[in-house]
Amino acid sequence: MSTILIAYGTTEGHTRSICERIAEWLHELGYSAELLDTQDAEENMALAGFDGFIVAGSLHQTQHQIALERFVSRNAADLAARPSLFLSSSLTASGKDDEHQAEARKCIEEFCKVTKWQPTEAFPIAGALLYSRYDWLKKAMMRFIVARNGGDTDDSRDYVYTDWDELRSIVERFAQVHLGTVQLSASQTQ
Ligand SMILES: Cc1cc2nc3c(=O)[nH]c(=O)nc-3n(C[C@H](O)[C@H](O)[C@H](O)COP(=O)(O)O)c2cc1C
């Protein structure tokens, strides 16, 4: 059975939720998936046993998590040896127009340049505005930034902009094209 490593960086937890869903979808397709919060990654973790990689992080002040950056820099050669998918979650990516998409892609390119890693595929993914997880300062700052862009300023609730159907097709297509034949699990073949 092919085993996929899903390595992520997260600050408020939304990218972790994204990765947990991806792991469920991969399991349904018959792959084995292992989740790794890069904050907990050991320095000399062996990646040679994995058949593919999904790497995900989110933008804060236009940067991805430093733990993710370090993990990818450290393992760039191993990551490049197998098919890989990079997902960058952000509020910028929730803007569907060319300008926002180009801005989100620029942050991906910067990450790849800094880490010296070229993923097989990379996509900006609309993230979330999780007011309930921000302290008062972060909440005030986010409300201010979001208001300037005409976004959702009611901080009594959270907003998730991730298009789960679109994300699922990105993951399934990546698996089908780059990870070989989709393997059906025992329950699916009965
Ligand atoms: C303090 C802060 C700074 C952020 N900075 C950016 C940014 O520079 N660009 C952007 O597109 N989104 C930005 N975001 C939005 C996050 O990328 C988005 O909420 C993402 O879904 C968070 O994922 P996480 O919970 O996995 O960290 C910011 C969010 C916070 C709370």
Side-chain angles (χ1 to χ4, degrees):
M1 181 190 280
S2 298
T3 304
I4 316 306
L5 177 69
I6 306 173
Y8 63 88
T10 188
T11 305
E12 283 88 31
H14 185 62
T15 310
R16 179 182 301 112
S17 306
I18 286 179
C19 290
E20 285 168 353
R21 285 222 192 177
I22 292 174
E24 282 170 25
W25 297 332
L26 289 174
H27 285 145
E28 284 171 24
L29 288 171
Y31 295 99
S32 165
E34 211 171 285
L35 284 159
L36 173 73
D37 184 335
T38 50
Q39 261 191 334
D40 306 327
E42 286 170 18
E43 287 271 325
N44 53 356
M45 185 181 169
L47 300 188
F50 293 101
D51 302 290
F53 301 103
I54 295 180
V55 175
S58 65
L59 288 180
H60 287 75
Q61 275 92 39
T62 73
Q63 303 291 311
H64 294 87
Q65 284 75 18
I66 192 74
L68 184 76
E69 193 181 294
R70 287 198 182 123
F71 172 82
V72 171
S73 298
R74 211 164 53 229
N75 296 293
D78 283 338
L79 292 172
R82 297 274 186 270
S84 59
L85 171 64
F86 180 44
L87 302 171
S88 168
S89 127
S90 68
L91 287 182
T92 305
S94 60
K96 291 294 165 209
D97 54 291
D98 290 351
E99 200 181 323
H100 282 97
Q101 290 299 306
E103 206 182 312
R105 286 211 172 262
K106 216 171 122 199
C107 296
I108 291 179
E109 280 163 25
E110 187 58 28
F111 181 83
C112 296
K113 200 169 120 190
V114 168
T115 56
K116 299 187 172 59
W117 170 57
Q118 197 51 57
T120 315
E121 291 188 19
F123 294 92
I125 301 293
L129 196 48
L130 304 177
Y131 285 117
S132 66
R133 299 192 194 171
Y134 305 154
D135 61 25
W136 70 269
L137 183 61
K138 229 187 222 188
K139 202 183 259 188
M141 192 179 84
M142 290 310 285
R143 226 181 20 232
F144 177 74
I145 293 169
V146 164
R148 268 196 332 204
N149 294 293
D152 295 307
T153 51
D154 174 4
D155 65 11
S156 65
R157 51 159 293 195
D158 292 339
Y159 300 86
V160 173
Y161 305 111
T162 309
D163 181 336
W164 298 108
D165 290 338
E166 185 187 42
L167 177 62
R168 187 172 183 148
S169 32
I170 287 172
V171 171
E172 289 189 351
R173 209 189 65 83
F174 170 74
Q176 281 157 7
V177 172
H178 298 290
L179 303 175
T181 314
V182 170
Q183 301 165 28
L184 294 178
S185 62
S187 62
Q188 287 171 298
T189 51
Q190 280 164 10

